Amino acid sequence: MTPHRRRFAWMLLVPLWALAVSARAQATPLVVEAALDYDVVAPLLEAFRSAHPEIDLEFNDRSTLTVDALVSEADPAPDVVISSAMPWQMARVNEGYAQRLDSPAARSWPAWAKWRNEVFGFTFEPIVMAYRLDLSKHMMPPQTHADLHTLLTTETTRLQGKVTTYSPLMSGVGYTLFQQDARYTPRFWDLVAGMGRVDARLENSTRAMLEGLSDGRYWLGYNLLGSYAMVWAQEHPEVIVQVPQDYSLVMMRMAFIHRDAPHPVAAAAFVDFLLGRAGQRVLAGQTPLFSVRPDIVGPYTAARLRDQVGDRLYPIPLNASLLAFVDPQRRDAFLARWRRELERPLPVSSE
């Protein structure tokens, strides 16, 4: 074959090769397993698709415990893992399931919101209370944890079956939040006992709590994810969101690239987008997930939240201390006391 014909044959083969690669890419998209409501994060995903039309993205919204199980059990492994159950995410990274992201955005990410450049907290979400608007017809809505404890003590009859919160047994984020509450509230176990006395209903998700508030099954919800609650309240005026005024926990969605990611380059592009100015600008302006970056301006930023709440914001630290919360003995002891306090009877009056 002459050189001219060889060049012509090669030109014919290149498009066929490109089509084969494209077909494989379409057959195996970038898979993100996440404990993150699609309706809330949709603007961010659409922005990523616009910035990277060459990447076929599959985003799966699951429970925190399901996401954690998929890290070790899924075959093939997911490309990116996102969860609000911070101790579980840290434990998986500590077990070696994450790969390091080496990029300018990763290197410059705030030290308090990452660990070893392997896992990154890319949101800054306050934990809130929520109540039905008509609750105020019967009692003063709570603004602090002390207010909530007072209501659970003085309005026991009216609140029977009307209070909801997370189940620490069935929700990783619920367990995490209660563990953190126990650190900051000296009367935490009294609060748990109060919820038991009103027969508080335990749910596995913030959405389930919000649905119950809207349909009237619940009057008061405790420890909801503020991002979900704020979006819900915009379309359901019967639900009022209250950032606690004594202190508010803040949790971060943690993201990492799986060590066995089938598409490591695309996975790196996705996480880099979460950390970059473009992605964080979408978080700050189009979602209530709150941007972490200090150089981003918008209605939902960590800086603006700090301006509004001040020193009463308590971010859950993203460091190795989280590993203690998934220690089996510590978890079993905590849950055993949770059950005991939830079933504690009313004190006998001396009058």
Side-chain angles (χ1 to χ4, degrees), residues 40-351:
V40 174
V41 77
L44 183 68
L45 300 179
E46 290 307 310
F48 174 77
R49 290 185 174 106
S50 295
H52 293 277
E54 77 283 3
I55 297 176
D56 185 13
L57 173 65
E58 177 183 322
F59 183 92
N60 299 317
D61 172 24
R62 308 184 190 274
S63 72
T64 52
L65 297 183
T66 298
V67 169
D68 181 66
L70 288 171
V71 173
S72 60
E73 297 174 6
D75 184 19
D79 291 292
V80 177
V81 182
I82 296 174
S83 178
S84 53
M86 297 175 65
W88 275 262
Q89 287 287 85
M90 182 63 75
R92 291 304 192 182
V93 174
N94 190 57
E95 291 167 1
Y97 280 101
Q99 59 178 276
R100 181 182 177 87
L101 176 61
D102 188 15
S103 70
R107 290 191 294 271
S108 63
W109 198 245
W112 55 266
K114 67 178 179 180
W115 195 50
R116 301 191 311 205
N117 275 23
E118 293 180 3
V119 63
F120 303 87
F122 68 96
T123 68
F124 195 83
E125 302 171 55
I127 305 305
V128 303
M129 294 185 282
Y131 59 89
R132 282 185 63 85
L133 182 60
D134 53 8
L135 176 80
S136 58
K137 298 177 183 177
H138 308 284
M139 62 196 76
M140 183 69 70
Q143 293 188 326
T144 67
H145 292 80
D147 292 344
L148 176 60
H149 180 262
T150 298
L151 289 183
L152 296 174
T153 304
T154 62
E155 300 286 353
T156 306
T157 302
R158 282 180 171 170
L159 290 177
Q160 279 295 312
K162 297 294 187 180
V163 177
T164 184
T165 190
Y166 270 111
S167 165
L169 298 126
M170 301 302 296
S171 167
V173 67
Y175 170 77
T176 302
L177 296 178
F178 290 129
Q179 280 274 13
Q180 293 296 317
D181 270 331
R183 295 180 59 192
Y184 294 119
T185 306
R187 300 189 66 184
F188 170 69
W189 292 113
D190 292 334
L191 193 64
V192 175
M195 287 189 284
R197 287 194 289 269
V198 299
D199 192 21
R201 304 306 164 91
L202 305 182
E203 297 284 6
N204 297 341
S205 69
T206 289
R207 176 177 286 275
M209 289 187 256
L210 292 168
E211 289 174 349
L213 287 167
S214 283
D215 65 27
R217 285 182 291 120
Y218 305 140
W219 286 5
L220 181 60
Y222 176 64
N223 267 7
L224 291 77
L225 300 185
S227 53
Y228 294 171
M230 291 172 186
V231 168
W232 187 272
Q234 289 174 3
E235 298 184 2
H236 298 83
E238 72 279 0
V239 175
I240 306 300
V241 176
Q242 174 68 58
V243 178
Q245 295 302 294
D246 51 346
Y247 78 87
S248 176
L249 297 174
V250 177
M251 67 120 227
M252 292 178 279
R253 308 275 172 171
M254 293 170 59
F256 67 84
I257 303 169
H258 200 286
R259 71 181 182 198
D260 300 321
H263 310 91
V265 175
F270 183 81
V271 176
D272 222 35
F273 185 80
L274 300 182
L275 309 181
R277 286 185 59 84
Q280 289 283 305
R281 192 179 292 115
V282 174
L283 289 181
Q286 300 180 47
T287 80
L289 295 170
F290 288 86
S291 167
V292 172
R293 287 180 65 126
D295 57 344
I296 298 296
V297 176
Y300 300 109
T301 67
R304 183 166 183 179
L305 190 61
R306 286 194 176 100
D307 288 342
Q308 293 173 342
V309 184
D311 295 337
R312 297 183 299 275
L313 277 181
Y314 292 171
I316 299 173
L318 199 165
N319 55 41
S321 69
L322 287 171
L323 296 173
F325 296 112
V326 291
D327 175 76
Q329 290 185 334
R330 177 168 179 165
R331 186 170 187 268
D332 289 346
F334 184 89
L335 293 177
R337 184 169 183 185
W338 169 275
R339 294 188 191 95
R340 188 166 65 249
E341 297 293 344
L342 204 66
E343 298 168 0
R344 190 203 302 176
L346 278 167
V348 178
S349 175
S350 60
E351 296 181 358

